[in-house]
Amino acid sequence: MTNDTILVVGGAGYIGTHMVKDLLQEGFQVVVLDDLSTGHHDLLPGGDFIQGQIGDRAVLDRIFTQFSISAVMHFAACSLVGESVENPIKYYRNNVSHTTELLAAMRRHQVNHFIFSSTAAVYGNPKIQPIPEDAVLKPTNPYGTTKVAIEDLLRYCDDAFGIKSISLRYFNAAGADLSGTIGERHRPETHLIPIVLQTALKEREHLNIFGTNYPTRDGTCVRDYIHVTDLTRAHLLALTVLMNGGDSAVYNLGNSRGYSVRDVIDVSQKISRRKIPFIETDRRPGDPPELVADSTNAREKLGWQPQYEDLEAIIETAWTWHRNEAKKNECICKG
Ligand code: UFG
């Protein structure tokens, strides 16, 4: 049991809800700040909930005054590569301006521990696979660029104000908590695994494969899928490091295994035992061909050991979640 209170910004979102569950299980007090623009209050596993924007100075001052916050975890970013290409201002406003306000509030209230959700999108189209943290940062879309901007700011905030941070560069978060009660619910959904499984459930007629002429094994994009609870375990380890006086750092979080879009469809067909129709279409702007993590540092320095290293295990948990969601929606429709 710990008396520490963690502010989880974006705690009602996909990764945030899993994080809140883990923190509560570990005995932390949790305060969630979320504007519910993409999050879901009904999926929140507990904690004190405040609906509001992360860039709202008054709301932040109220939270930091009312609660004795030991650390902040930030999941409240806009995180869609395609959307960021279409609407870069939304991305700079939320991911850069609002996050800057959050850091300013931390400084005002002398909260000096920050865990930041960064992304593999910071690397752009890297020459080396798997990608080490010291690879060149050259994002190919506004989303990745906004994350680089905050990683830079965090270094300066450490030098200037002593705010210690760990930035975790996620590769492709996927899967769901084993309970089947929380999982990925985006509206609209753009991510591959949920779309594939919703197609298996006949909620969609087919899915589109965005691009089949990439320089990869089968022509479709390759990604490193990492289970959401493996991600949250890494956050807990990072939090422990900072709370024990550790230094700022940046880590990749991935399984170091690449799976193509076609692999995801094949494995999903096997798990669901259903045929999943697809159509081959043009590339989606901003998509790099391949992103696979070198996560040696997280394993060695944080002592992180992912539990779900293969795609089947990850998709299995997502399938349970999506079937539960489908049943729930059916009940609501039948009234
Ligand atoms: N894809 C399809 N059809 C779809 C949806 C996706 O072919 O209907 C393809 C995409 O083109 C991409 C791959 O499946 O090649 C994975 O796409 P996702 O949308 O699931 O995920 P992204 O790789 O675009 O992005 C995710 C997160 C980002 C993060 C990135 C890091 O959304 O926040 O992983 O790898 F930056």
Side-chain angles (χ1 to χ4, degrees), residues 23-215:
L23 286 165
L24 292 171
Q25 258 164 11
E26 292 295 314
F28 288 95
Q29 310 295 313
V30 176
V31 178
V32 170
L33 171 63
D34 198 301
D35 65 3
L36 299 183
S37 57
T38 56
H40 304 278
H41 190 255
D42 65 306
L43 298 182
L44 202 56
D48 286 289
F49 175 69
I50 291 126
Q51 186 169 357
Q53 270 202 349
I54 63 159
D56 187 328
R57 191 183 163 120
V59 170
L60 290 169
D61 281 339
R62 212 168 53 237
I63 293 173
F64 284 113
T65 306
Q66 186 181 343
F67 300 95
S68 173
I69 304 288
S70 303
V72 176
M73 290 185 167
H74 178 16
F75 300 93
C78 302
S79 61
L80 303 176
V81 169
E83 185 189 49
S84 80
V85 175
E86 284 159 21
N87 192 354
I89 288 181
K90 175 176 178 184
Y91 276 68
Y92 273 76
R93 182 177 291 138
N94 187 56
N95 295 3
V96 181
S97 306
H98 290 179
T99 303
T100 306
E101 280 307 322
L102 175 62
L103 287 162
M106 287 176 61
R107 188 190 168 216
R108 281 197 299 283
H109 297 271
Q110 282 149 23
V111 176
N112 290 325
H113 298 137
F114 188 66
I115 309 284
F116 179 56
S117 303
S118 190
T119 173
V122 297
Y123 296 113
N125 287 323
K127 292 205 175 68
I128 312 165
Q129 302 282 350
I131 312 162
E133 286 89 351
D134 59 4
V136 180
L137 304 187
K138 222 175 160 196
T140 53
N141 49 64
Y143 169 57
T145 311
T146 62
K147 293 288 184 174
V148 174
I150 296 300
E151 285 194 14
D152 287 343
L153 176 59
L154 288 173
R155 274 198 311 279
Y156 294 125
C157 284
D158 186 352
D159 294 345
F161 316 129
I163 295 177
K164 298 287 172 197
S165 64
I166 294 187
S167 295
L168 299 171
R169 292 180 183 157
Y170 309 165
F171 283 62
N172 286 55
D177 185 70
L178 282 193
S179 65
T181 57
I182 51 175
E184 198 164 6
R185 187 200 284 161
H186 297 115
R187 293 186 178 140
E189 186 53 81
T190 64
H191 294 92
L192 181 65
I193 292 179
I195 285 178
V196 169
L197 297 179
Q198 287 166 358
T199 311
L201 286 163
K202 297 199 171 10
E203 291 170 14
R204 297 167 188 265
E205 274 179 21
H206 64 265
L207 73 122
N208 296 315
I209 298 183
F210 296 137
T212 53
N213 59 355
Y214 281 101

Side-chain angles (χ1 to χ4, degrees), residues 266-308:
D266 289 348
V267 170
S268 300
Q269 293 194 134
K270 190 169 148 209
I271 286 170
S272 65
R273 300 207 199 106
R274 299 175 190 200
K275 178 122 191 64
I276 301 178
F278 61 83
I279 291 176
E280 296 180 1
T281 61
D282 288 345
R283 292 180 176 194
R284 188 172 67 175
D287 275 344
E290 182 166 355
L291 291 169
V292 178
D294 178 341
S295 57
T296 315
N297 282 332
R299 290 166 197 259
E300 288 180 357
K301 295 186 183 148
L302 290 178
W304 179 61
Q305 180 56 58
Q307 303 295 305
Y308 299 86

Side-chain angles (χ1 to χ4, degrees), residues 14 174-178 193 197 225-230 255 257 259 264 267-268 270-271 306-321:
Y14 168 43
D177 185 70
L178 282 193
I193 292 179
L197 297 179
Y225 293 91
I226 168 174
H227 196 271
V228 61
T229 59
D230 282 331
N255 277 312
R257 299 183 189 188
Y259 294 98
V264 170
V267 170
S268 300
K270 190 169 148 209
I271 286 170
Q307 303 295 305
Y308 299 86
E309 287 183 299
D310 67 271
L311 189 59
E312 274 190 39
I314 294 172
I315 292 184
E316 192 85 59
T317 65
W319 178 233
T320 304
W321 158 252

